[in-house]
Amino acid sequence: MSEIKLSATLRETFGKGSARQARRDALTPGVIYGHGTAPKHVNVEGHALMMALKTPNALLSLDIAGAGTELVIPKAVQRHPLKRTISHVDFLIVKKGEKVTVEVPVVTEGDLAAGGNLLETLLAAVSVEAEATHIPTEITVSIEGLEAGATVHASDLKLPKGTSLAVDGETPVLQVVAPQAEEPAADAEAEGEEG
């Protein structure tokens, strides 16, 4: 995964008032922490950050005016409950070659066996350990021809080279269930009246 370069500035003021002012100025407040360093409070250009975070576990290179560059990944993203805009981001400092534990989305491909079976997603994302500069954007699993009763476990996922599971391999990720047979409501009522 290549780095996404973003501009940032150090925040001099803190609190709700300064955070609101930053958002009015199309900036997103955030904090950078990790590797035993003192936290850095920053403002990042809001639209560029929103576009960068469309990629799960994006590797960001923050160019902080007057304070150098930090290689980070988003650790916690807070969104406005109604507008869904980004309100605040916690960034974790990473180093090239360092392993990090992240949640990676699971994506399916193919079609289930005929018969109207349904696919139940038990885990939309799976926790993996990967090198900070090579975090997979998604893990693809084939469901081609799976029958009712089939279960895909975490150990069945094909992980990219250098990536390992951070969950128990027996953890179910997907399962195929048979459709429920529906009894007509009218027949049930008629039986109740007769009995």
Side-chain angles (χ1 to χ4, degrees):
M1 177 187 303
S2 59
E3 302 168 18
I4 301 170
K5 298 186 184 325
L6 297 174
S7 301
T9 55
L10 287 174
R11 281 192 289 157
E12 304 298 328
T13 57
F14 306 98
K16 287 183 180 180
S18 65
R20 284 189 188 115
Q21 182 59 49
R23 289 184 204 103
R24 280 193 293 270
D25 295 338
L27 300 171
T28 301
V31 64
I32 301 170
Y33 63 91
H35 285 277
T37 62
K40 291 181 186 171
H41 298 273
V42 294
N43 283 327
V44 183
E45 199 274 303
H47 181 71
L49 179 63
M50 180 191 69
M51 297 305 288
L53 294 183
K54 287 185 183 268
T55 303
N57 302 310
L59 182 63
L60 307 174
S61 177
L62 292 183
D63 184 14
I64 306 165
T69 303
E70 291 284 5
L71 192 61
V72 299
I73 59 172
K75 199 62 180 168
V77 179
Q78 295 174 7
R79 295 184 184 274
H80 187 281
L82 300 175
K83 299 178 191 173
R84 302 305 298 156
T85 54
I86 299 171
S87 302
H88 188 274
V89 181
D90 288 352
F91 298 104
L92 179 65
I93 297 172
V94 294
K95 305 287 183 201
K96 292 184 191 265
E98 174 186 24
K99 293 255 187 182
V100 292
T101 302
V102 292
E103 294 280 320
V104 178
V106 176
V107 177
T108 59
E109 66 180 7
D111 295 316
L112 296 173
N117 294 328
L118 304 171
L119 181 67
E120 184 178 2
T121 302
L122 304 172
L123 283 181
V126 68
S127 188
V128 299
E129 187 177 64
E131 188 177 322
T133 54
H134 294 91
I135 298 171
T137 54
E138 62 187 29
I139 297 171
T140 305
V141 60
S142 174
I143 59 168
E144 189 65 41
L146 290 180
E147 302 275 349
T151 301
V152 177
H153 294 93
S155 60
D156 299 327
L157 301 175
K158 289 184 176 52
L159 301 176
K161 185 179 177 187
T163 303
S164 59
L165 285 175
V167 296
D168 182 14
E170 293 303 308
T171 305
V173 179
L174 305 166
Q175 69 182 13
V176 181
V177 294
Q180 298 289 328
E182 293 184 25
E183 291 184 24
D187 288 351
E189 287 176 18
E191 287 175 13
E193 290 172 7
E194 290 174 10

